[in-house]
Amino acid sequence: MPETILKVKEMSKTFSSKKVNVKAVNNVSFEVKRGETVGIVGESGCGKTTLGRCIVRAIQATAGDVLYLAKNGQEYDIQKIDKKTMKSIRKEIQMIFQDPFSSLDPRMTVYDIISEPLKANFKMSAKEIEERVKTIAEKVGLNPSYLKRYPHAFSGGQRQRIGIARALVLYPRLIVCDEAVSALDVSVQAQVVNLLRDLQEELHLTYLFISHDLSVIEHISDKVGVMYLGKMVEYASSEDLFKTPFHPYTEALLSAVPIADPTVAMERIPLQGEIPNPANPPSGCFFHTRCKYCIDKCKTDEVEFIEKEPEHFVACQRANELHLQGIVH
């Protein structure tokens, strides 16, 4: 069995102002094994990106633990270690950002962008840096002649390859991909997703892949976590979740996935109403205001995140009695 490289335990992140407190991530727990891809999916504003940024400690979580198993075999709580220790671990955990236009400095050449993490983390000669940058550029499909150019000269797909190269140049163990393909058109999306899979196999990478696109999540993920209003509502292997969802929200998301087969008739499940205000969430199950299976208990009782079947977790009062529709290919 592969070792567990990341454990997120009861993590929460609250953003506070003078008037309101917004719990962007609410008591989320899951594990990631080495070499696998865990997809995190949900509507905009559900807390996916905040979760990813807390894991890499781009922002500090309010509560909970993020336990990372480092290359030296020691486990660190990323949220609690000092800056010096965090810098040594930073090399092993990198992030690919959502927007390939704003995440690259327009005043830096492609070479400077990709080489910057090496200069910040290692003492390497100029020749060693140049060789590493050229190697990584070729791995992600960038022509070495592009390295002297500036980001404005490239398309969105090429820019995202630059962002991927910047994350890979340190040879990390864990990469958080925050909507890494959502800003790209469909044909380029497929190229970048296939590139990420090939690189994962070649470099033995582990991915936390954040997306709102279930088709991409199904294609790349080994396990999937579904988030709603800051909470994890379902977590299972990709195959189990797409075939037999246990949460009504997951069922509604799956019903919106287009199937490339005219003989398959999918029943579309429209979600009624708007997402509740995260500053003032509903009582009981957060999803009850939009759930067609809602009963009185759902409106009042706190719902627990339980393991309904081996390695298939769900937070639903009626998980044992509902038989929900998945996707069968």
Side-chain angles (χ1 to χ4, degrees):
M1 287 291 290
E3 61 193 359
T4 299
I5 194 171
L6 182 74
K7 294 178 190 172
V8 178
K9 292 185 173 180
E10 298 178 358
M11 191 178 80
S12 296
K13 174 61 182 177
T14 303
F15 292 101
S16 301
S17 68
K18 292 179 180 179
K19 293 183 179 180
V20 294
N21 294 320
V22 176
K23 231 176 189 180
V25 178
N26 192 341
N27 203 33
V28 168
S29 299
F30 64 96
E31 293 185 359
V32 182
K33 289 187 168 57
R34 188 168 183 204
E36 73 180 4
T37 300
V38 171
I40 303 293
V41 70
E43 293 169 284
S44 295
C46 73
K48 307 185 299 292
T49 295
T50 303
L51 175 69
R53 288 176 180 267
C54 285
I55 286 170
V56 301
R57 201 169 154 182
I59 55 178
Q60 188 77 33
T62 308
D65 303 310
V66 179
L67 303 175
Y68 169 70
L69 184 67
K71 197 174 183 179
N72 62 14
Q74 191 171 343
E75 193 172 67
Y76 297 93
D77 189 339
I78 288 174
Q79 294 297 320
K80 296 183 173 69
I81 55 179
D82 57 49
K83 286 185 178 179
K84 186 179 179 182
T85 311
M86 187 64 219
K87 187 177 180 184
S88 68
I89 291 175
R90 184 75 70 191
K91 306 188 261 263
E92 301 181 19
I93 306 173
Q94 289 295 299
M95 192 165 188
I96 300 170
F97 297 95
Q98 176 175 359
D99 187 357
F101 292 87
S102 64
S103 62
L104 303 179
D105 190 331
R107 297 164 297 180
M108 296 173 72
T109 63
V110 173
Y111 181 87
D112 290 336
I113 289 168
I114 299 174
S115 64
E116 188 178 28
L118 292 174
K119 295 171 183 174
N121 288 283
F122 295 112
K123 291 181 179 177
M124 299 172 70
S125 67
K127 188 177 181 183
E128 287 173 327
I129 291 174
E130 184 179 354
E131 287 176 358
R132 175 79 70 90
V133 170
K134 285 183 176 178
T135 300
I136 290 297
E138 287 174 5
K139 280 188 188 298
V140 302
L142 288 171
N143 191 314
S145 64
Y146 294 170
L147 295 174
K148 294 179 182 178
R149 299 184 189 176
Y150 290 85
H152 72 265
F154 298 94
S155 66
Q158 288 173 317
R159 286 180 188 226
Q160 197 61 295
R161 289 173 190 267
I162 297 167
I164 292 169
R166 177 176 59 187
L168 284 174
V169 77
L170 295 175
Y171 290 140
R173 301 173 81 226
L174 173 67
I175 298 181
V176 176
C177 306
D178 179 20
E179 302 268 14
V181 297
S182 68
L184 312 177
D185 65 56
V186 176
S187 60
V188 179
Q189 274 188 13
Q191 292 172 20
V192 173
V193 167
N194 290 330
L195 170 66
L196 288 169
R197 291 186 70 174
D198 292 342
L199 291 168
Q200 181 177 35
E201 195 171 315
E202 183 182 346
L203 302 175
H204 310 292
L205 300 169
T206 305
Y207 291 143
L208 185 71
F209 196 90
I210 296 165
S211 179
H212 61 264
D213 189 332
L214 277 160
S215 300
V216 173
I217 287 285
E218 183 183 18
H219 182 63
I220 199 171
S221 301
D222 301 301
K223 291 180 181 172
V224 181
V226 181
M227 289 186 70
Y228 183 78
L229 214 66
K231 282 182 174 283
M232 187 80 77
V233 296
E234 189 162 4
Y235 185 79
S237 70
S238 180
E239 184 181 356
D240 287 348
L241 186 125
F242 278 81
K243 194 180 289 182
T244 54
F246 290 151
H247 199 283
Y249 179 59
T250 309
E251 180 190 43
L253 292 179
L254 294 178
S255 77
V257 177
I259 304 295
D261 184 350
T263 63
V264 176
M266 286 291 291
E267 182 191 346
R268 183 80 169 84
I269 303 172
L271 289 175
Q272 303 297 325
E274 297 293 322
I275 300 174
N277 182 356
N280 185 26
S283 59
C285 172
F286 285 4
F287 186 60
H288 84 255
T289 57
R290 305 171 76 194
C291 180
K292 68 177 184 178
Y293 305 107
C294 173
I295 57 176
D296 289 343
K297 185 168 68 169
C298 302
K299 299 176 183 178
T300 56
D301 293 5
E302 189 75 25
V303 61
E304 291 184 26
F305 194 58
I306 59 166
E307 189 171 13
K308 183 176 181 292
E309 287 186 1
E311 296 193 7
H312 195 148
F313 298 83
V314 65
C316 177
Q317 301 282 13
R318 304 188 64 194
N320 290 321
E321 53 188 275
L322 296 176
H323 299 283
L324 306 179
Q325 170 185 280
I327 296 177
V328 180
H329 294 289

